[in-house]
Amino acid sequence: MIVSIIGVGLMGSSIAKDLRARGFASTFLGVGRDKGNLQTAIDLGIINEAVSIEEAISKSDVILLGTPVNTMISLLPTILDGITDNTTVIDIGSTKEELCSSIREHKNRAKFVAAHPIAGTENKGAAAAINNLFDNKTCIICESELSSEQALNTSKRLFQCLKMDIIEMSAKDHDLHLAYVSHLSHVISYTLGSTVLELEKDESKILELAGSGFASTARLAKSGPDMWVPIYEQNTSNVIRAVDAYIKQLSQFKTILEEKKFDELREYILNANKIRKVLQK
């Protein structure tokens, strides 16, 4: 089997490493604009060679689309135009509604599977690839009813090879729920990083005094704009709803402090602690 990775970043490279190690495919092709990153992927044994997108389309049994989500929208119709009857195209992006809508009437829509393997780090590029990144994580497949049985079975075998739990939902529901549990997390991290940089002018103090709590909360602020600006662009209304709810909670917290209602603050924190049970399930 030949698998092509279009966008050989952290996600695509990590997928390729595990698929190769677990025998899903023997040949992996890479497509991308950064020749240095592609060479790194070759040197690390992640891909066998770098090819043009045209060559990837003509040769591949599976095409994984791992570019930023705005690039996916421009590339996906062209990819679907040129694939063979036996090719399955799978995207691994973090937004789904606009992408799925853009190719819903395409003649080869059935050969496409809209998927979101939920895993990753704040790092980027082939050099950041991680073994076993997807083990025991969740993969969401959207609009499975519009994918052919062959494409759906191929994608499920791929994600099962990555040891992922597969769930299905609509593209609309995907974007709504991801706005709450993923996209908002990055908003919080970006604003935390910006706030600390604004207040603390002595950067050495950030390094000296910031504990693991700050480091873990601010970690996502290292994620670059090339990936995240398109996500916010495509999921604006849902993210705004999430941000509004978060601002309401911040205002409530601020009011409690201003009014020195520390018994109420204790109850607020205890209520927030309930998230521990949710995350331990």
Side-chain angles (χ1 to χ4, degrees), residues 55-69:
E55 188 173 353
I57 291 170
S58 66
K59 288 184 174 180
S60 302
D61 300 295
V62 175
I63 297 174
L64 282 174
L65 190 52
T67 65
V69 292

Side-chain angles (χ1 to χ4, degrees), residues 48-83:
N48 296 84
E49 63 176 315
V51 299
S52 68
I53 190 168
E54 292 80 12
E55 188 173 353
I57 291 170
S58 66
K59 288 184 174 180
S60 302
D61 300 295
V62 175
I63 297 174
L64 282 174
L65 190 52
T67 65
V69 292
N70 57 336
T71 305
M72 287 182 185
I73 288 180
S74 63
L75 287 180
L76 185 54
T78 300
I79 294 170
L80 291 177
D81 284 343
I83 57 175

Side-chain angles (χ1 to χ4, degrees), residues 103-213:
I103 47 86
R104 187 161 290 131
E105 303 303 323
H106 195 284
K107 64 178 181 178
N108 286 330
R109 169 61 183 86
K111 298 173 185 176
F112 169 66
V113 177
H116 181 191
I118 302 177
T121 75
E122 70 278 15
N123 300 314
K124 65 179 183 178
I130 299 173
N131 293 322
N132 311 319
L133 176 63
F134 303 94
D135 286 13
N136 304 314
K137 303 289 176 44
T138 297
C139 178
I140 301 172
I141 291 179
C142 298
E143 298 191 349
S144 61
E145 70 279 3
L146 299 181
S147 301
S148 70
E149 183 176 359
Q150 176 185 326
L152 201 57
N153 287 341
T154 298
S155 66
K156 287 183 176 181
R157 285 196 299 108
L158 185 151
F159 291 116
Q160 287 165 353
C161 185
L162 296 175
K163 301 182 180 180
M164 303 197 78
D165 298 319
I166 299 171
I167 64 173
E168 297 185 14
M169 65 176 63
S170 70
K172 182 176 181 179
D173 283 347
H174 170 278
D175 287 5
L176 175 66
H177 295 302
L178 266 293
Y180 299 159
V181 299
S182 173
H183 305 168
L184 178 61
S185 300
H186 283 77
V187 171
I188 293 168
S189 192
Y190 289 131
T191 53
L192 173 64
S194 296
T195 300
V196 170
L197 289 170
E198 179 180 346
L199 293 175
E200 181 55 82
K201 301 304 182 183
D202 186 346
E203 293 184 6
S204 66
K205 290 295 186 289
I206 299 176
L207 289 172
E208 291 172 2
L209 302 178
S212 59

Side-chain angles (χ1 to χ4, degrees), residues 199-246:
L199 293 175
E200 181 55 82
K201 301 304 182 183
D202 186 346
E203 293 184 6
S204 66
K205 290 295 186 289
I206 299 176
L207 289 172
E208 291 172 2
L209 302 178
S212 59
F214 175 80
S216 61
T217 308
R219 176 182 64 84
L220 297 178
K222 301 175 186 176
S223 302
D226 290 347
M227 174 181 176
W228 278 94
V229 170
I231 289 172
Y232 290 131
E233 181 179 358
Q234 291 188 19
N235 205 21
T236 300
S237 60
N238 288 324
V239 174
I240 287 174
R241 183 186 304 180
V243 170
D244 282 342
Y246 183 62

Side-chain angles (χ1 to χ4, degrees), residues 22 58 71 250 275:
R22 296 169 187 178
S58 66
T71 305
L250 280 177
I275 197 67

